[in-house]
Amino acid sequence: MVSVTLNAPVNGGTSAAGNGSVASFEKGPDIEEGADVRPPHAAVDYGGAQSATDSYRKRRMTIMPLEVGTRVNCRWRDGKYHPVKVIERRKLPGGDPNYYEYYVHYTEFNRRLDEWVTREHLDLDSVETDVDEKVEDKVTSLKMTRHQKRKIDETHVEGHEELDAASLREHEEFTKVKNIATIELGRYEIETWYFSPFPSEYNDCNKLYFCDFCLNFMKRKEQLQRHMRKCDLKHPPGDEIYRDTTLSMFEEKHSEESYNLACILTLPPYQRKGYGKFLIAFSYELSKKENKVGTPERPLSDLGLLSYRGYWTRVLLDILKKHKGNISIKELSDMTAIKAEDILSTLQNLELIQYRKGQHVICADPKVLDRHLKAAGRGGLDVDVCKLIWTPYKEQS
């Protein structure tokens, strides 16, 4: 049963027609889409309403299906409409040959929230059909300063510094659409964030099944069940070096570049429980045990930088609050095992450091420190150093 409302807004509300009566009725399954449908009572002045309905139908027929590059408002998971750009489209199997679903990028949000939506999610009255992408880009480019352009270029290249401009464009085109929508890991089904370079035989898979011990992946649930009966891995590879109740840590390989942590991954079901912050704090406890400074592998992702900035801020400002008298960057580095460059960038980001007479001076107003500490949030799970049983690499024979 399809509900039809004359002279109604796109969001489905009804409106008064003629002398105040509401022109709202239902279209049965025997009435074809696009037929001349009229209300059962002639007491309604629907001349203007009919014209508006015809105009809306004509507009919808003109703009549908939407072209790649179209900008439109889309209903997100919060129930509100947000501006999006159509990145890709594909026909849905069966039914109307003109019925597509669209892969959209929410221009206000990070790419990890890109998703496939149907036309029911879109506000067709907001469609911008006359936007020439090349002209728009050219106008935007003319308005940008040289510094802004360089900043945007640096943002796009981050993590792919080895690629030239043509290769970078090819990479972005290849990875613009998520190829796997969800994965099943243990008892959880997890939505993916980005494109993943799986082998070509997995191109037709919308969902993959992972072994939560060895992380092998399969196309079907039955394959995973067979695999689980044979998998003999019951913990991560390496030696266990830390155990605190149900939490265990296993040794990472030696880093030639002296990084104390290569990659942080907290799966969605376990996020916001303090594990990511725990991993960062744990890595610095390893550096302290080695009697040297540490730093994470570069480049940092957006979320990685945010997490590290929070850790550096909490550790450094906690010391500055308690310390009496002057303190140098070198002394802070020795006390925390945080690299001097990371300390400097953190204090500069917080506007707590000035350059005077050839040296950096830390300006530590107690009220300012308290404000920054509050903004940095709480730390993660505590690291009990007494439970760390580990021999640094240089001491191994």
Side-chain angles (χ1 to χ4, degrees):
M1 196 72 74
V2 179
S3 177
V4 178
T5 305
L6 296 180
N7 200 25
V10 177
N11 61 12
T14 58
S15 61
N19 56 4
S21 59
V22 176
S24 179
F25 60 99
E26 293 185 334
K27 175 170 78 78
D30 56 330
I31 301 179
E32 295 180 357
E33 182 71 34
D36 185 13
V37 182
R38 298 176 184 271
H41 303 291
V44 179
D45 178 11
Y46 52 80
Q50 185 68 43
S51 175
T53 304
D54 291 343
S55 175
Y56 171 71
R57 286 175 178 165
K58 185 179 295 185
R59 172 174 169 78
R60 193 179 73 171
M61 291 174 62
T62 302
I63 64 177
M64 298 299 289
L66 298 180
E67 297 291 337
V68 171
T70 299
R71 297 181 185 273
V72 63
N73 289 336
C74 180
R75 189 175 68 251
W76 193 49
R77 59 194 67 178
D78 62 359
K80 299 177 182 178
Y81 282 87
H82 297 269
V84 300
K85 180 179 178 181
V86 177
I87 303 298
E88 192 58 88
R89 69 180 189 181
R90 64 187 181 193
K91 286 186 178 180
L92 288 175
D96 188 346
N98 291 321
Y99 196 83
Y100 286 76
E101 62 177 349
Y102 303 92
Y103 191 77
V104 298
H105 167 61
Y106 293 89
T107 54
E108 301 170 331
F109 306 137
N110 188 281
R111 276 186 60 193
R112 67 176 66 95
L113 297 177
D114 294 0
E115 63 179 343
W116 288 101
V117 300
T118 58
R119 66 187 181 196
E120 285 77 17
H121 289 78
L122 305 174
D123 176 9
L124 299 183
D125 269 356
S126 67
V127 170
E128 298 179 21
T129 56
D130 56 351
V131 175
D132 187 320
E133 291 290 318
K134 293 182 179 178
V135 172
E136 185 187 54
D137 291 343
K138 186 175 181 180
V139 171
T140 303
S141 178
L142 289 173
K143 292 180 180 178
M144 287 193 299
T145 66
R146 183 177 301 174
H147 172 71
Q148 289 172 323
K149 289 179 184 177
R150 183 168 63 248
K151 191 172 182 180
I152 290 174
D153 289 341
E154 289 171 354
T155 301
H156 281 90
V157 171
E158 184 178 358
H160 302 286
E161 291 83 355
E162 74 282 2
L163 301 180
D164 57 28
S167 300
L168 186 62
R169 283 194 297 271
E170 183 179 357
H171 169 78
E172 290 181 345
E173 177 67 22
F174 186 68
T175 62
K176 66 181 181 181
V177 178
K178 283 184 281 193
N179 49 339
I180 306 294
T182 59
I183 68 167
E184 185 174 301
L185 181 70
R187 64 180 185 272
Y188 296 104
E189 183 176 90
I190 305 171
E191 292 182 6
T192 61
W193 279 1
Y194 299 112
F195 170 90
S196 297
F198 284 97
S200 57
E201 58 264 32
Y202 293 90
N203 287 350
D204 60 343
C205 295
N206 198 44
K207 179 179 179 180
L208 289 179
Y209 299 86
F210 279 75
C211 171
D212 51 352
F213 291 110
C214 70
L215 299 183
N216 274 328
F217 49 89
M218 299 89 186
K219 290 184 177 182
R220 299 190 304 277
K221 181 82 169 183
E222 301 77 27
Q223 291 177 307
L224 175 65
Q225 291 169 340
R226 288 196 300 270
H227 167 84
M228 294 295 288
R229 289 194 289 268
K230 298 182 293 182
C231 185
D232 55 3
L233 262 184
K234 299 305 176 187
H235 63 76
D239 298 328
E240 186 181 54
I241 60 173
Y242 180 89
R243 178 180 291 190
D244 187 0
T245 61
T246 60
L247 180 60
S248 292
M249 298 292 290
F250 293 82
E251 188 173 19
E252 291 184 333
K253 65 180 182 180
H254 173 67
S255 170
E256 295 292 341
E257 298 84 0
S258 296
Y259 295 132
N260 62 2
L261 196 147
C263 183
I264 295 178
L265 170 63
T266 306
L267 294 171
Y270 305 99
Q271 290 173 357
R272 300 186 182 277
K273 300 180 186 296
Y275 292 115
K277 295 173 182 176
F278 171 85
L279 287 172
I280 293 175
F282 191 88
S283 71
Y284 281 100
E285 293 302 331
L286 296 181
S287 292
K288 290 175 186 176
K289 202 167 180 65
E290 290 180 296
N291 294 315
K292 63 182 185 181
V293 297
T295 193
E297 184 178 6
R298 298 308 201 274
L300 290 171
S301 67
D302 54 348
L303 292 180
L305 179 58
L306 195 65
S307 299
Y308 268 94
R309 275 270 164 81
Y311 173 80
W312 293 330
T313 297
R314 286 188 296 272
V315 171
L316 296 173
L317 299 197
D318 189 57
I319 292 175
L320 293 177
K321 278 191 66 177
K322 298 173 182 176
H323 188 80
K324 303 298 182 182
N326 296 330
I327 188 169
S328 68
I329 300 293
K330 175 69 166 57
E331 289 172 321
L332 283 172
S333 181
D334 292 339
M335 295 169 67
T336 62
I338 299 173
K339 199 172 183 180
E341 289 86 341
D342 296 332
I343 294 175
L344 193 58
S345 69
T346 300
L347 295 178
Q348 287 174 335
N349 183 64
L350 297 172
E351 298 182 347
L352 293 178
I353 197 164
Q354 297 177 4
Y355 194 70
R356 297 176 184 171
K357 297 180 180 179
Q359 62 181 356
H360 291 99
V361 179
I362 299 172
C363 307
D365 180 273
K367 292 182 180 179
V368 175
L369 297 183
D370 287 336
R371 188 172 71 247
H372 284 309
L373 275 171
K374 185 177 180 180
R378 294 179 299 175
L381 302 175
D382 292 330
V383 180
D384 187 346
V385 183
C386 298
K387 296 176 180 177
L388 174 59
I389 304 172
W390 177 65
T391 303
Y393 182 82
K394 65 180 181 180
E395 298 177 17
Q396 294 176 354
S397 56

